[in-house]
Amino acid sequence: MDLSSSSNPTTSIAIILSRRNSSIANSNNTNTIHLAVAAKKPRKRHSARDAVKFTLEHCNFMDDKRRFVNLDALLTRLAPVGRVYVSCTESAELNAKSGKNHKQVRRAREISDLFTKIAEVIDSRTDIVISTNDSDDSSSNGLTQVVSTLPKPLHNPVSAVDYTDTTMRHILGGESSPNHLTYRGDKRLADDMLLKRALGFLLHKEHISDHNEEDFGAYETKAGTLDSHLTLDRTAAEAINLLPPPHGGVATCVVGGDVNTNSLYGVLNKCKTKMGSRTLEIWLRQPLVKYKQILRRQEAVSAMVENQLNLHRLRDEGLSVLSGVDLDKLCSTILSFTAACSSDGTGAMGNTSAALESLYKLHYFADGQLPRLIEALEEICPSDANNEEEDKVVAPPTGGDQEEEEGCALRSGLASLKRVQKELVRSVQLVEAVLDFDAAPRAFLVKPQFDEELTDVRAELDAIEVEKDQLHEEMNELWEEVSGSAGQVRLENSESSGGAGGNASGGSCVWQFRLPKTNDSKILQQRLKHEVTVHRLLKNGVYFSTKALRQLGTKKHDLLAEYESRQRDIVKNAMSVAGTYVPVLERASVVVAELDVLASLAHAAVQSPHGYCRPIMTDGEEDGMGIELEEARHPCVELQQRETQFISNDIKLVFGSSSFLIVTGPNMGGKSTYIRSLGAIITMAQIGSYVPCKSAKINIVHHILARVGAGDVQDRGISTFMAEMLEASSILQAATKRSLIIIDELGRGTSTFDGYGLASAISEYIVQRIGCMTVFATHFHELTALEESEHVVKNCHVTAQKATDGSNGLTFLYKVRPGPCLESFGIQVAEMANVPPIVIADAKRKAKQLENFDYRKKRKAGKEDNENENEDEHLNAEETASAVDFVNRYRKLPLSCLPPGEKINVLRNFLKTTQ
């Protein structure tokens, strides 16, 4: 499933790299680089007076120039992305110099390598929409457009600031506009020239200038940060199955399940509208980190869960009527017709039927669908005439800072919908005055009463309909005479008529008769060959016509063309007025989408076969806070196991006592599912959803950082182990105390000692220096000793039971219990995979040798002390002979024939003799 289709509004991004700023900001780390990012995001308007259509968000941060983890997490949040422009400040300086020396050549090569790496990160994503660029100064490498030299106005900081400020003044609405005053007062922009160059870079590449009047006042600015939402990089998003896997078939086989169970999006997407489905994806990409925002959503979901009857009514009677409606697309259609009419008269508008159809949809929403939604919503939260929420407007459901922090989401949504309904009253009157509802939805025409000439043309069209019915009746009578069968002739629109509406743009407007049996064509050609003309023979019958029918169709076609010509000016004026209601529709789309997602989350909780609970959220770093889940389940896996019951487990990560959890146990025992379910549950909780637990207490997490799976990047020369180390390095640099780290195996691609040493050192670094909540699944059993030296480290293991019949069979219990497990049962798993018996036997023998703790030590000591080897062997031989003699003498004692008292005396004498 491709959620990021090109039909959805996309974000444009400009990225400027600066090596100089990197060395100033962090001279101790040569692997980081300074990035300034500017993004142009579509924005839905809140009212008819709201002219802002886009938000320019800007942020800067340090990033690992080997993997660009922070940039990757930002792209996850901003997706779907349509255009990505990349440049570097130093490249402009190098190109400005003539006669480059060796040092400059090396710097240019380093910048080129940076461009290649950042392009690889972006091009490997599946949520970037391919777009074209007509610029001559950029090289398109896949999905990334690398601009080797910054545009001329941005070559130096002074000209870049002047260019950016001039353009921003225009697009923000003028010198004294609130948005421009906010821009001028932004201290981050004033202090960081690189940010302004990134904004100017985006403006230049998107052809936004102070000469375009359409851009005046159409933008706002927003300072962005990496921690404004829960940060999820691509690895973490894939680990918790955030979104459906790309390329459905193959990936679904790997992940398991179907489109409804292979991702959090599939599990939670019970939305009735297209707007709701899109908004749910945004919420999953941007989980909240502000306590009040999460609580606001939770309260709305809880109100619907506790009132299931009204929840079903809201979904089945209120939202279902909007299932075929895309308000965002309707707004875009109305705006395109409005712009076409204003730019080039009515000619650019094209066929008026499509414009009138958009008016019909506007009327149907405002007068039919919206009242039913309001009525269903009132059952959940009855409105109060004096309610303060009536004056509030629900902000865009993007999870951003603009979202309402206080107040019930359902009540404020109801108030906004009522407000929308009032504001659309005149739009309903407009459409009713213009559109001919007698013809709709078969044909979309202006009311004939609107103009006398239209009335005359409509009268002729009505007469044609009467004559058409007469011709149909006459043909049925004629067919009955020649065949003896009555009522078999159907009258249908031909394919060339442009559809059922018979509009002028569809070609000649004709009808055709149809007989359901193809053999009837013989009768037509033999008995009525002078009266009819056979057109086609298909499976569903024979199509034919008469001369009178064709002439009548041509006449209707000409009349519709005349009607079209006379109604164009009327439609133009109507569309100009309808365009003023687009901001109201956009606000309605925002509210409907949010209500749909909240109802979807409530429905998913109610319909869960094992039950969801409302998590208790906390927000702090004090000891005692953390994550405590009782009987937690993986939301995707539990739905895929239809024949067996999912085994739930408890998870406890608490600051000051158990913030670091080491999970051991056999392969296939459920370790990966256990730790990934934690990440999935945290994400669900922070979008406001109920979670698959019996009870849950969750401290808000700011980052989910994951190191899972094994894979290499052959085209970049990165081995499996190097990929693991790069991920581990990125985690250690990005993690804070409010992070959640999920590690599923670490240090497997090197020797056992090196791997254990790295895993142990990384664990100690996390515990001692970062202190965040961590779950570490490993097969390094020696790592469990960390619990003895660090009080916040706790061990647990997944259980398995060996077969009792002497075989090497293994039964996985999938239950997590306290304490370590010192066996991995790898050989048993290999035997279950039908590895040849001779290999299994040899593996057991070698494993038995390695179980001796001193084995390697003795081997090493033997090589280092070769001079003492013979002496040791001699001593060992004497000790062996003495032991054998002792056993033989003991066997000869007649102990079985002696009474108990004498046995003791005999044994004492025997031991004295032996000593």
Side-chain angles (χ1 to χ4, degrees), residues 139-388:
S139 59
S140 178
N141 180 16
L143 305 175
T144 310
Q145 297 176 15
V146 175
V147 182
S148 57
T149 304
L150 282 170
K152 188 174 181 179
L154 306 173
H155 273 189
N156 62 77
V158 176
S159 62
V161 169
D162 182 62
Y163 169 80
T164 304
D165 286 346
T166 302
T167 307
M168 294 294 288
R169 185 184 305 113
H170 174 76
I171 66 176
L172 293 177
E175 186 74 31
S176 60
S177 67
N179 286 333
H180 186 256
L181 293 176
T182 301
Y183 167 76
R184 290 179 57 187
D186 192 327
K187 192 174 185 301
R188 286 175 55 189
L189 282 173
D191 296 340
D192 193 340
M193 295 296 102
L194 191 64
L195 268 181
K196 280 203 173 182
R197 293 178 85 173
L199 274 174
F201 184 35
L202 178 64
L203 297 174
H204 189 277
K205 296 303 295 180
E206 288 290 295
H207 307 291
I208 303 171
S209 70
D210 56 346
H211 303 300
N212 190 347
E213 291 302 322
E214 292 184 359
D215 289 336
F216 182 80
Y219 290 79
E220 67 177 5
T221 58
K222 176 184 176 183
T225 59
L226 288 178
D227 57 358
S228 61
H229 298 84
L230 170 62
T231 301
L232 285 163
D233 64 8
R234 193 176 353 175
T235 303
E238 292 175 354
I240 65 175
N241 306 121
L242 185 73
L243 299 171
H247 315 301
V250 175
T252 301
C253 293
V254 177
V255 176
D258 52 30
V259 294
N260 296 319
T261 61
N262 62 10
S263 65
L264 289 182
Y265 177 85
V267 171
L268 299 176
N269 185 22
K270 312 301 179 185
C271 296
K272 295 289 188 178
T273 68
K274 297 178 181 178
M275 300 85 71
S277 296
R278 287 194 293 266
T279 300
L280 174 60
E281 182 192 353
I282 294 174
W283 285 16
L284 286 170
R285 290 183 182 276
Q286 302 177 4
L288 303 174
V289 293
K290 293 187 177 180
Y291 176 79
K292 289 184 178 180
Q293 292 179 354
I294 298 173
L295 200 63
R296 176 177 180 270
R297 291 183 184 175
Q298 276 192 352
E299 289 175 350
V301 174
S302 179
M304 289 186 279
V305 169
E306 294 170 1
N307 196 341
Q308 296 183 24
L309 182 63
N310 288 329
L311 167 64
H312 295 316
R313 183 179 178 189
L314 173 63
R315 286 173 48 82
D316 298 337
E317 299 180 14
L319 292 168
S320 288
V321 296
L322 291 164
S323 59
V325 177
D326 191 339
L327 292 179
D328 297 333
K329 185 177 180 180
L330 178 59
C331 292
S332 177
T333 302
I334 294 176
L335 284 177
S336 64
F337 282 121
T338 303
C341 293
S342 60
S343 62
D344 191 22
T346 57
M349 183 173 58
N351 181 22
T352 60
S353 176
L356 290 171
E357 184 179 2
S358 66
L359 292 181
Y360 177 79
K361 292 179 179 179
L362 170 60
H363 180 276
Y364 184 47
F365 169 73
D367 194 54
Q369 297 166 324
L370 184 57
R372 294 178 63 181
L373 177 60
I374 291 175
E375 182 182 355
L377 189 57
E378 283 182 329
E379 296 295 328
I380 297 179
C381 49
S383 61
D384 185 358
N386 298 321
N387 193 349
E388 295 179 358

